[in-house]
Amino acid sequence: MDNSIIFAVGGVILGLVMGFIIAKTLEKKNASKLIKEAKKNAALILKEAKSEGESIKKDKILQAKEKFIELKAEHEKVILSRDKKMAEAEKRTRDKESQVSNELSKGKKLNDNLESKIKDYNHRLDVLDKKQEELDKLHKSQVQQLEVISSLSAEEAKEQLVESLKGEAKNDAMAYIQNALEEAKLTAEQDAKKIIINTIQRIGTEEAVDNCVSVFNIESDDVKGRIIGREGRNIRAIESATGVEIIVDDTPEAIILSCFDAVRREIARLSLHKLVTDGRIHPARIEEVVKKTKKQIEQEIIEVGKRTVIDLGIHNLHPELIKMVGRMKYRSSYGQNLLQHSREVAKLCGVMAAELGLNPKLAKRAGLLHDIGKVPDAEADMETPHAILGMQWAEKYNEKEEVCNAIGAHHDEIEMKSLLAPIIQVCDAISGARPGARRQVLDSYIQRLKDLEDIAFGFTGVKKAYAIQAGRELRVIVESEKVDDQKAADLSFNISQKVQTDMTYPGQVKVTVIRETRAVNIAK
């Protein structure tokens, strides 16, 4: 049994070996077949590749030949265009050469003609010189013959002729002057009236509306009590600080401010407006607001001056003169607002100067500045006539001589030296003399109030003086360090006696002297 197993195992192994050998043999045969087939395929592929390469080579050669032919054609075109341009350039060059040769030939002909003309001209000059010499000789011989005949030399004859011509010219000139004067006398007055009437007709004017009272409107009557204050202390503080009389009566929702000085009234009005708007009304606050309002008014005066000179087209005016022009807004002349009057005179002067053929801008300048002497800075300036004072200020601030002379001469204080001066005088008269322009009574009234204040300022120790209640009361504020209570009483008596002896006035004038002592300390 064991032997059968061994034989079986051996048979299996032998079968396996034989199968392996047979499989290897078959595999080699298959591999040789595959190699042969691959060689055949490779040979076919190589053959096909060679045929394709030949065809591609032929195509590329054909393309190269076509490209060469195209490039050759383009090159031939470029060469042809260059040849054409060169031919055109050669043609233009030949044309220019021919043109230049023609110009040269023409220039040569012109030079020949010019030389011939110069020769002819020189010949004629020689002939003229000879003829001139012959004429001079003939003239000398004729003069000598005339001198022999008339027994006078040539110089003597000339003198006699000149004298006779002078006499004739003088007679003709006198006759012409006489005729011109006669004609001027006949037409001067008519022409002057025509110019003045045309000037007046071209100016729009206003009537005098200035007065000595301003009305301050309030929202309710409750505000009146706050303005008056406890025992009237607020209203006294306002009157003391501004110099304006505050009238609080039964007029509903209104308080009356009375003062002849428009600047004081405006300061009081603006101060009251600020106080009422702010709501804090007491003496310290009143003084603070009044000080600020005074500065505001000064700035407003400058702005008014600037606007005025810009409106009138006046340039390069000194800042101090601009300030004086602004101050004229708060001054009046015989009830006529001084700034409106000066603007009106400036416009009239510009129109009249244009009609007469003069400089209208210079005339406007002189017309605006002609009354600046009516707004003096100091009391000493009030003694100088306003025309002279205005001229001095204009000279001080480098105004032109014609302008200065026109300002100083418009009331005949000095001699008129230019045509500008009578124009200013005439236009000033036109502005002031028209109906409704001025009020003589108002101006005299304002002057009386100013004189009343000036009397108070003439005493030592007086700090402020205000004429109020239409001149029926003079309120004087003194310096407490210099004037005691006894001197205050004496001062009141002395001022009243001075007013009584030096002034003429209706009714009575009450003199009130106010002396106030303050003690101020600051806690830090």
Side-chain angles (χ1 to χ4, degrees), residues 163-428:
E163 289 296 328
S164 64
L165 290 174
K166 280 183 179 179
E168 291 179 4
K170 188 180 290 185
N171 292 332
D172 292 341
M174 291 299 294
Y176 178 77
I177 291 170
Q178 188 65 29
N179 292 332
L181 287 173
E182 300 257 343
E183 185 178 356
K185 287 179 182 178
L186 291 173
T187 60
E189 186 174 355
Q190 183 179 358
D191 291 341
K193 287 180 179 179
K194 182 180 178 182
I195 290 172
I196 292 172
I197 290 170
N198 287 336
T199 303
I200 294 171
Q201 288 175 343
R202 292 168 63 182
I203 295 295
T205 57
E206 300 176 356
E207 292 190 358
V209 295
D210 284 350
N211 51 42
C212 296
V213 174
S214 296
V215 177
F216 177 71
N217 296 313
I218 56 178
E219 295 179 356
S220 64
D221 290 340
D222 295 338
V223 181
K224 288 184 180 180
R226 293 168 58 196
I227 292 174
I228 294 171
R230 185 180 299 173
E231 298 178 356
R233 63 174 187 172
N234 290 344
I235 206 166
R236 285 197 303 272
I238 295 172
E239 290 179 347
S240 175
T242 61
V244 175
E245 183 183 2
I246 311 296
I247 302 173
V248 182
D249 53 14
D250 295 334
T251 306
E253 299 181 355
I255 292 176
I256 298 173
L257 310 177
S258 175
C259 181
F260 68 93
D261 191 333
V263 178
R264 291 189 205 166
R265 287 205 314 274
E266 185 66 13
I267 291 171
R269 189 186 67 80
L270 291 176
S271 299
L272 275 175
H273 178 72
K274 291 179 180 179
L275 290 167
V276 171
T277 303
D278 183 46
R280 294 176 294 166
I281 305 176
H282 52 82
R285 176 65 177 164
I286 289 168
E287 291 182 1
E288 179 185 353
V289 170
V290 169
K291 286 181 181 179
K292 290 181 179 179
T293 306
K294 286 180 179 178
K295 293 181 181 179
Q296 180 183 342
I297 291 293
E298 290 176 1
Q299 188 62 35
E300 184 180 346
I301 284 171
I302 296 172
E303 293 298 325
V304 168
K306 288 181 180 178
R307 286 197 301 270
T308 301
V309 297
I310 289 171
D311 290 344
L312 294 175
I314 297 171
H315 305 286
N316 300 324
L317 197 65
H318 195 279
E320 287 297 325
L321 292 179
I322 291 176
K323 189 175 179 180
M324 291 176 188
V325 170
R327 285 166 57 192
M328 287 195 290
K329 177 183 177 181
Y330 300 103
R331 294 290 184 274
S332 61
S333 177
Y334 296 99
Q336 186 181 23
N337 182 269
L338 194 57
L339 181 59
Q340 293 298 330
H341 167 65
S342 298
R343 288 172 63 100
E344 187 176 318
V345 172
K347 292 177 181 178
L348 286 166
C349 290
V351 174
M352 193 172 290
E355 291 288 337
L356 295 173
L358 301 176
N359 188 344
K361 291 186 177 180
L362 203 63
K364 280 186 179 181
R365 197 182 192 95
L368 179 65
L369 300 177
H370 80 284
D371 268 348
I372 57 173
K374 289 186 177 181
V375 286
D377 285 327
E379 295 293 330
D381 293 334
M382 296 181 68
E383 299 177 359
T384 307
H386 75 274
I388 302 299
L389 183 60
M391 181 187 69
Q392 292 173 355
W393 283 345
E395 290 173 347
K396 178 180 178 182
Y397 298 118
N398 300 321
E399 287 295 319
K400 290 186 178 180
E401 185 179 354
E402 299 96 321
V403 175
C404 298
N405 179 255
I407 294 171
H410 78 277
H411 285 313
D412 295 323
E413 276 89 356
I414 62 171
E415 181 184 357
M416 296 182 181
K417 296 182 180 179
S418 68
L419 287 175
L420 202 60
I423 290 175
I424 303 301
Q425 190 177 51
V426 170
C427 294
D428 182 40

Side-chain angles (χ1 to χ4, degrees), residues 20-35:
F20 180 73
I21 292 168
I22 291 167
K24 284 291 183 181
T25 304
L26 291 173
E27 186 177 355
K28 285 181 180 181
K29 287 180 179 181
N30 290 332
S32 62
K33 286 180 181 180
L34 289 172
I35 290 168

